[in-house]
Every structure is written in C-alpha cells, then in structure tokens.
Amino acid sequence: MPKVLVSDPVDQAGLDILSQVAQVDVNTSLSPEELVAAIGDYDALMIRSGTKVTKAVIDAGQNLKIIGRAGVGVDNVDVPEATRRGIVVVNSPEGNTIAAAEHALAMMMSMSRYIPSADRSVKSGEWKRKDFTGVEIYKKTLGVVGLGKIGSHVATVARAMGMKLLAYDPFISAERAEQLGCRLVELDLLFREADYITLHLPKTPETTHLVNEEALATMKPTVRIINCARGGIIDEAALAKALREGTIGGAALDVYESEPLGDSELRELDKAIILTPHLGASTEEAQVNVAIDVAEQIRDVLLGLPARSAVNIPGLRPEVMQKLRPYLQLAETLGNLVGQLAGGRVQELTVRLQGDIAGGDTQPIMVAALKGLLSHALQERVNYVNASIEAKERGIHVIETRDADIRDYTGSLNLSAKGSLGEHSVTGVLLGGSEIRVTDIDEFPINVPPTQHMLFTLHRDMPGIIGKIGSLLGSFNVNIASMQVGRKIVRGDAVMALSLDDPLPEGILDEILKVPGIRDAYTVNL
Ligand SMILES: NC(=O)c1ccc[n+]([C@@H]2O[C@H](COP(=O)([O-])OP(=O)(O)OC[C@H]3O[C@@H](n4cnc5c(N)ncnc54)[C@H](O)[C@@H]3O)[C@@H](O)[C@H]2O)c1
Ligand SMILES: O=C(O)CC[C@@H](O)C(=O)O
C-alpha cells in the first residue's frame, strides 16, 4: 500500500479520501530536518502553507510521486525541482476563493469601525464610545488591485454594499472589469483616488513592494489598505512609517514579508492596523474544499490516473503526455514569450501549427500555448486544466490554423498575440526532437534558445549599435550569455535577441531606449 505523509493540519474529509488507497501518517510537528529524514518512506506529501518543501526534501523523497498543496499558493514548494524529478505538484486553485475574499471584506469592515480595538477596550473594563467613531464604506471608492477569482468576488460584494469600484489588473479586459461594475484604471490613478485599496494579485518580482514609500505618498491621507494576498507586495517598513506619521488612514494585513511575523513594529501600531495570522483560507468550508480537492488528486495519481489541477504537469494520460511533452514545452515557452512581448491585456492569440505538429490532437498544444500566455500574470494559478477557462474569462479570442506541409523544419509553431504593447509574433521549433529554438521574432529571422532572462530590441541596422547595447549592459553588470541579430534587408530594421545571465536592473530599459537607432526594447523573463 502506498504511504502518504500529511505534515500540516488538513480537514478529516481529505484524510478519509487518502485512507481509501494509502496508509496515511499525520505528523504536523516535524522540523525541516525531521521532514528530510522521514520523507524517503513516502509516495505522497500533503501540506498547507506551513511546510517548506525545499530541494533537500525533494532530494530525500526518493519515492515521492506527488505533492499536494491544500490551498492556492505553491510558493512554499520548490516546483522546478519537483518537476525535474517528475513529481506532480497539485493545488486547489478555487477551494478557498470565497474564504479569502470574505476575509478581505471583514478586514475592511473591522477597520472602518475599529472593531478589534473597541473590543479590546471594552474587555479591559473601559467604555469609550468617542474614541471609536468609524466611517461608512457606503459610496466610498474601493480600489481592487488584481481582479482574478478573489478580487472579483470582493468587487461583487463591495458593489452590492454601495461602493464605487476602481480596478487595476494589466491582464484583464475592460469588458470583464465592466461586468463586475469596476472601472479599469492605471495603478497610479487607483492609488490616488481610492478610499480603500485591497490587494488580490500574486507576489512576483514585479509586484514585490508594489505598495512602497512613493506609492503611499500619492494616496489619500484617509486611505485604508488591505493585504490578504501575499506578504511583500507591501513594503512593511514604508507602511509602518506612513501609519506612524498618519499620512494614511489605516491598514489590515493577513500576510507578511516573513511568516510567522517576528518582532515587527507593525505590532506596535495598535488602532491604526489590524493584523491576522494568515487566516484568509481558514474557514471550515474552505478547509473541507481544499482538503477534498487535493486528497482526491493524490488518490488519483497514486492509482495511476491524471491529476486535474497539476501546476507543473498537464492532466493528460501518461502515454499521451510522453509523446507530446516536448511540443507542450515549446508551446508554453512561446506563449509566455509572446505574452510578455505583447505586454499583457491580450485580446487575441493566433496559433499556427506547421508540419508534423499540425497532425493529430492539437488541443493540448493550444492549451499549453494559453498556459504559457497567462503564466506571467497568473503564475501557479494557471494550469493545463483551467488555462482555456481563464483565457475565455479574460476575453482572449483564440484562433488556430494548421498546415501539415513540411517547410524548413519538420514542425514549427508560430504564435501571434495582440496586447497592450501591440501585435507581436514568435516562431519556434524543436531541434533533435527536444531542444527549443526561437526562429523568428516579428518575422525577423533569428536562432536563439530561450533562457530565463532575455532582452529583445528593434533597431536600425547600423554600425556600432550592438557594441553600445553591450557596453550599456556591462555598465549595469549584466552578463550576456548569447546574442543574435536578425534582419530582412541590409541597413533596414533589425531585431536583436540577447540571453542574459542576470535579470535586467530597473531603469536600464529607459537607457537602452535612449540609444540612437533603437526603436523599441522588451525584457522577457521565462
Ligand atoms: N490570505 C490567504 O490565506 C490567501 C488565500 C487564497 C489566496 N491568497 C492569495 O490571494 C491572491 C489572489 O488569488 P486569486 O485566487 O484571486 O488569484 P487569481 O490568479 O485568480 O487572480 C490574480 C489576479 O492578479 C492579476 N495580476 C497579476 N499580476 C498583476 C499585477 N502586476 N498587477 C495587478 N494585477 C495583477 C492577474 O491578472 C489575476 O487576474 C494570490 O496572491 C493568492 O496567493 C491568499
Ligand atoms: O494554507 C493556508 O491556510 C494558506 C492558504 C493561502 O495562502 C493559499 O495560498 O491558498
């Protein structure tokens, strides 16, 4: 019988499902070292946010087939390492949506009426009514940053309570926002005009410290900010300073830069801030939902069946997966690349399948392309199961064309996307059946392997320009791994594709755009 280790508290409903097919051991007090020592015996690991599944845990988990996260975020799992080891990582993308949305709404209401401090005051024997005069949320403006599953529910309820709604989400169409009663605006306007700001976006390098000292300085002095998304989206030191100096009205946090929250000045701010210990998903209903959702997937994988919400491996039959895996990787990489070039808010994606890729069942390839396209925005929340639904909800029109004729390569894939930065296209092929090469960008021929950090420029083909970009990157201590230039005619327009060893530091793109002859520049992180 397979063995499952459950290392965080999960609902009994999940344990009952696991017990149908496995020996289940629940041990929620393991230290990181004890987990590494124990994991070798287990075929599956079920966790919540408490357990950190590091490379050391994965290396020691020689029998591990699946890691199940009873919740959304898999930021406590080393997913790339699990993928390398062929371990399926599953989550529950929707099981706690309502719980997290209601927690954010509860924070907004409690903050407006000083409920936690009034409660403390009465319990300490006081009766101070004047100190706790609150404000109404009716007719106030709520700025929702991130209009995905949780943000949408918050918006719907807030609208019913008579609030005016602004939203910022670079990957959502104005029509979708309008359906939810939100005016889609730029972030600086939302920061300036909102009476309440609630964050419902993933934490990524781009969203880290999205709410920082400069942003806080542009907000109303009465603004109240809620973060039930991820710690680190708000710069805690800047927030504490703004609250201390009274330049904003209040804050309510459920998540922190480091959890559990240690010695922090946030704890000293009393009436100005409400702090909860990452309780967004902690409702009876959500815990039952996520436990069942994830336990069912662990059971299925242990029985040799596909998982429906794998964040790293498509929910396809193993034999189909085996054959398609390189093509899926190609489609996902090109989708991610073209999505970033098109700049988010994509309205249309055209996928052209050429040669041997055009035969057989192309649907998984289409799904992989959409997963790649959305992955920059949705991170681990998009998978092979929900990519099509997520694309539909975002109003992305998908076009597929097939041509089975073999041209320069036995098979190639071309993706064009229309987004907020205009229309861009990329073509890619598989060399030797597995190595991905990008063979053109916007119809300029190149030949580059995709890498984690990339820079693309559109420039005039003229002497000296390549050297200037090279020296500029050097002056910012960015190392170039490889570089390719593609052009259609001599001294016409050209495209330069650079693979970089380091991420591009802030501000460098502006410097590149100032180089004479450079028409456009894009950074891409794959
Ligand atoms: N506190 C908790 O216990 C708890 C529980 C569940 C989820 N969460 C967190 O809540 C957040 C939202 O979860 P969800 O299920 O709604 O996710 P979701 O994927 O459905 O929505 C996220 C939205 O953020 C948008 N987005 C991405 N980058 C953005 C950016 N730079 N600026 C603005 N918007 C951006 C995406 O387009 C998407 O619409 C996540 O961070 C998740 O980890 C917290
Ligand atoms: O397990 C938890 O309670 C945290 C859940 C939440 O942050 C999530 O990402 O789903």
Side-chain angles (χ1 to χ4, degrees):
M1 210 179 195
K3 289 175 77 180
V4 182
L5 175 63
V6 180
S7 60
D8 286 321
V10 300
D11 193 86
Q12 185 61 39
L15 304 181
D16 292 344
I17 292 168
L18 294 175
S19 306
Q20 294 166 4
V21 295
Q23 175 191 319
V24 184
D25 294 340
V26 180
N27 190 340
T28 57
S29 57
L30 291 171
S31 67
E33 297 72 30
E34 286 168 337
L35 178 60
V36 169
I39 197 68
D41 284 344
Y42 291 95
D43 301 273
L45 174 63
M46 184 163 174
I47 55 165
R48 277 177 63 188
S49 55
T51 301
K52 308 278 174 268
V53 187
T54 56
K55 181 172 183 309
V57 174
I58 291 167
D59 283 347
Q62 283 306 311
N63 294 322
L64 268 188
K65 292 161 191 72
I66 176 163
I67 298 165
R69 160 72 163 102
V72 185
V74 288
D75 38 356
N76 52 330
V77 179
D78 187 337
V79 179
E81 202 48 43
T83 307
R84 249 190 298 283
R85 276 279 318 283
I87 300 168
V88 184
V89 180
V90 299
N91 69 350
S92 173
E94 287 171 16
N96 57 30
T97 298
I98 300 297
E102 289 186 358
H103 196 69
L105 290 157
M107 292 286 228
M108 180 165 70
M109 301 294 286
S110 310
M111 204 175 9
S112 304
R113 304 305 289 267
Y114 301 109
I115 289 174
S117 21
D119 171 72
R120 273 197 303 275
S121 161
V122 174
K123 286 181 179 158
S124 72
E126 296 173 344
W127 190 259
K128 289 183 172 171
R129 298 179 61 217
K130 236 176 112 194
D131 282 7
F132 301 116
T133 303
V135 287
E136 290 172 14
I137 60 164
Y138 183 64
K139 288 199 172 164
K140 296 285 176 0
T141 298
L142 172 65
V144 183
V145 184
L147 205 51
K149 290 183 283 293
I150 298 171
S152 299
H153 190 70
V154 168
T156 306
V157 177
R159 188 183 179 203
M161 293 171 93
M163 297 191 85
K164 289 183 246 165
L165 298 173
L166 298 177
Y168 170 72
D169 188 324
F171 305 100
I172 283 281
S173 66
E175 294 73 43
R176 167 78 182 144
E178 213 172 284
Q179 279 168 11
L180 293 163
C182 298
R183 183 156 68 92
L184 199 61
V185 295
E186 288 307 322
L187 190 60
D188 51 354
L189 188 143
L190 183 148
F191 282 163
R192 269 199 322 274
E193 293 195 358
D195 300 302
Y196 293 83
I197 295 171
T198 186
L199 305 176
H200 301 291
L201 66 167
K203 184 180 172 204
T204 64
E206 285 144 38
T207 64
T208 299
H209 288 189
L210 186 85
V211 178
N212 54 20
E213 194 167 353
E214 295 84 73
L216 288 162
T218 65
M219 295 176 191
K220 290 186 179 177
T222 50
V223 72
R224 289 174 166 85
I225 305 170
I226 302 135
N227 186 9
C228 290
R230 277 291 178 266
I233 299 176
I234 300 184
D235 176 346
E236 283 173 9
L239 181 76
K241 182 167 177 270
L243 288 167
R244 235 184 6 255
E245 293 174 359
T247 56
I248 62 166
L253 306 183
D254 185 45
V255 285
Y256 306 90
E257 285 180 352
S258 161
E259 293 184 17
L261 180 67
D263 267 347
S264 162
E265 54 183 321
L266 295 174
R267 292 181 191 269
E268 286 148 32
L269 291 162
D270 198 34
K271 201 177 148 192
I273 196 164
I274 301 178
L275 307 174
T276 54
H278 203 145
L279 291 183
S282 295
T283 63
E284 288 170 15
E285 295 83 348
Q287 286 315 307
V288 172
N289 291 344
V290 296
I292 292 180
D293 199 359
V294 168
E296 283 181 348
Q297 297 187 69
I298 294 178
R299 177 196 63 195
D300 290 353
V301 167
L302 292 178
L303 290 173
L305 300 167
R308 59 172 174 267
S309 264
V311 300
N312 58 346
I313 295 173
L316 294 172
R317 287 199 315 282
E319 59 283 9
V320 179
M321 251 307 289
Q322 199 56 30
K323 210 172 135 225
L324 281 180
R325 195 190 298 267
Y327 290 135
L328 298 179
Q329 196 53 51
L330 173 66
E332 200 175 325
T333 305
L334 295 181
N336 193 348
L337 176 51
V338 81
Q340 291 186 57
L341 291 176
R345 216 166 276 162
V346 170
Q347 305 118 41
E348 190 174 286
L349 175 73
T350 304
V351 182
R352 297 181 185 87
L353 302 110
Q354 177 83 49
D356 63 358
I357 304 184
D361 181 6
T362 56
Q363 201 250 350
I365 295 171
M366 295 299 291
V367 172
L370 284 174
K371 177 175 184 280
L373 185 84
L374 295 170
S375 60
H376 196 61
L378 301 183
Q379 310 275 307
E380 68 270 3
R381 277 164 289 282
V382 62
N383 58 38
Y384 283 80
V385 179
N386 66 9
S388 304
I389 302 163
E390 291 283 351
K392 202 168 167 197
E393 280 186 356
R394 284 168 166 69
I396 301 173
H397 180 48
V398 183
I399 301 164
E400 177 185 343
T401 71
R402 301 187 205 188
D403 176 358
D405 285 354
I406 292 181
R407 306 257 161 88
D408 298 347
Y409 296 94
T410 50
S412 74
L413 201 58
N414 169 276
L415 268 60
S416 338
K418 287 185 193 158
S420 45
L421 296 179
E423 183 165 2
H424 288 276
S425 78
V426 296
T427 306
V429 300
L430 290 173
L431 293 189
S434 62
E435 247 184 73
I436 299 176
R437 283 288 181 283
V438 179
T439 54
D440 90 43
I441 298 271
D442 292 338
E443 294 177 7
F444 287 91
I446 52 166
N447 190 330
V448 283
T451 53
Q452 193 185 0
H453 308 294
M454 302 192 80
L455 169 68
F456 295 95
T457 64
L458 175 67
H459 60 270
R460 209 142 53 77
D461 180 27
M462 61 187 208
I465 203 153
I466 297 172
K468 281 201 189 108
I469 298 296
S471 333
L472 195 56
L473 290 173
S475 70
F476 278 82
N477 200 25
V478 175
N479 203 35
I480 301 172
S482 72
M483 198 274 288
Q484 264 268 324
V485 177
R487 61 187 184 182
K488 292 177 202 162
I489 50 163
V490 176
R491 299 218 178 209
D493 277 345
V495 154
M496 184 165 19
L498 296 113
S499 305
L500 308 170
D501 288 333
D502 312 287
L504 278 185
E506 233 176 274
I508 191 170
L509 212 54
D510 294 337
E511 295 302 315
I512 291 171
L513 287 166
K514 284 184 205 153
V515 172
I518 295 285
R519 298 196 200 289
D520 237 326
Y522 305 86
T523 54
V524 167
N525 291 301
L526 294 173

